[in-house]
Amino acid sequence: MRYVPQGRDARTAQVPTVAYGPACAGEVTGFGVAGKANPGTVDLGVTGGFAGISGDGRPCVVKATVHWTNLNTGKRGAVSGFARGNLPGLGENQSGFSKRVTTGKGTVRFSVTTDRPYLAQPAVTIRTY
């Protein structure tokens, strides 16, 4: 997650998930960052950490989606990308994605899903500028 001076940030609880491969599992965590420099926008994304065997020698990977709703305006949307990697210390570092979304000003609620079996976690909120 990027540090935003005088910004606001929020994280979801870790979302346990299966990843692609014959034996890959781990977790993804959603995040949101709102900064004063870009009013009405939030950087939304995920990070992830996995353990297991991917089957092709590369890190485990899963497609994650951050679903968001502006509670003040009703505007909603979703952004998707890939989270991949191994647990820290086991080779390749963790990686995820971050995308800037024009949510509008107000309180934005967001949650994370994956395209593989996962255990849902409660949505969190962030206040935009």
Side-chain angles (χ1 to χ4, degrees), residues 2-9 33-37 129:
R2 290 183 248 175
Y3 172 71
V4 179
Q6 300 176 5
R8 297 179 172 131
D9 61 71
V33 179
K36 285 183 178 180
Y129 289 94

Side-chain angles (χ1 to χ4, degrees), residues 23-48:
C24 282
E27 53 78 24
V28 294
T29 302
F31 64 84
V33 179
K36 285 183 178 180
N38 298 297
T41 66
V42 179
D43 290 338
L44 294 171
V46 300
T47 59

Side-chain angles (χ1 to χ4, degrees), residues 1-72:
M1 180 166 51
R2 290 183 248 175
Y3 172 71
V4 179
Q6 300 176 5
R8 297 179 172 131
D9 61 71
R11 287 184 170 270
T12 67
Q14 292 179 341
V15 177
T17 186
V18 174
Y20 286 97
C24 282
E27 53 78 24
V28 294
T29 302
F31 64 84
V33 179
K36 285 183 178 180
N38 298 297
T41 66
V42 179
D43 290 338
L44 294 171
V46 300
T47 59
F50 303 94
I53 301 165
S54 67
D56 61 7
R58 293 185 290 180
C60 298
V61 64
V62 69
K63 184 176 182 183
T65 302
V66 180
H67 305 270
W68 62 269
T69 302
N70 183 313
L71 301 178
N72 298 94

